[in-house]
Amino acid sequence: PLPQPPLRELLLRLLPPRPVCQDKLAPTNSLVKVGFPSRVPPGGAPALTYSAGSSKPEVRADGGFACPQCGVLHAELPTECPVCALKLLSATDLSKTYHHLFPLPLFKQQLGPPAALCFGCGEALPAAARNAAPATHGFTCG
């Protein structure tokens, strides 16, 4: 059998290179490794738990969040695990920051066709000015 090339080599053949501007270095990788810890309910045996901003663990029995990479308990989120240096946050924390990074484009008020339906709920729209969604070019009632 023929030797198999490594997966990384195969992927690099399929991916186009990132553009490089003149007089500038190639852009660095902008990905951040993030972990989503699981909740450990209170009432179990006391365990060593890290508090935010502390490099020393405390013995606590009130539960916490278990790091998905090393299993160490943390009292609160978001934080960085002092054992494996993984950034820990909840899905709600990520969604709060994500919508600030990529805000929705503004809707514009426009006059639409006389018998238009709401793109979101399907109800008939009044004849007054309507909100036009820029991505779908549909009209909404809200």
Side-chain angles (χ1 to χ4, degrees), residues 107 116-125 130-133 136-142:
F107 283 54
L117 297 177
C118 175
F119 188 75
C121 66
E123 297 290 321
L125 291 171
R130 300 164 177 147
N131 296 320
T136 61
H137 302 292
F139 294 97
T140 61
C141 57

Side-chain angles (χ1 to χ4, degrees), residues 37-52 54 56-77 79-84 88:
S38 55
R39 177 89 169 115
V40 177
L48 291 175
T49 305
Y50 283 92
S51 297
S54 173
K56 294 184 179 180
E58 304 168 352
V59 177
R60 297 171 69 164
D62 56 352
F65 300 92
C67 176
Q69 188 164 317
C70 65
V72 171
L73 286 180
H74 297 273
E76 54 194 41
L77 296 175
T79 188
E80 184 172 328
C81 182
V83 175
C84 64
L88 303 174

Side-chain angles (χ1 to χ4, degrees), residues 21-102:
C21 299
Q22 286 184 339
D23 303 328
K24 290 187 180 180
L25 297 174
T28 60
N29 193 352
S30 60
L31 298 177
V32 176
K33 192 171 182 181
V34 174
F36 298 99
S38 55
R39 177 89 169 115
V40 177
L48 291 175
T49 305
Y50 283 92
S51 297
S54 173
S55 61
K56 294 184 179 180
E58 304 168 352
V59 177
R60 297 171 69 164
D62 56 352
F65 300 92
C67 176
Q69 188 164 317
C70 65
V72 171
L73 286 180
H74 297 273
E76 54 194 41
L77 296 175
T79 188
E80 184 172 328
C81 182
V83 175
C84 64
L86 183 68
K87 294 187 183 335
L88 303 174
L89 46 101
S90 66
T92 54
D93 291 329
L94 181 63
S95 67
K96 287 176 188 175
T97 58
Y98 184 81
H99 90 273
H100 288 293
L101 294 174
F102 305 102

Side-chain angles (χ1 to χ4, degrees), residues 101-112:
L101 294 174
F102 305 102
L104 291 174
L106 296 177
F107 283 54
K108 296 178 183 173
Q109 285 201 345
Q110 296 177 349
L111 292 176

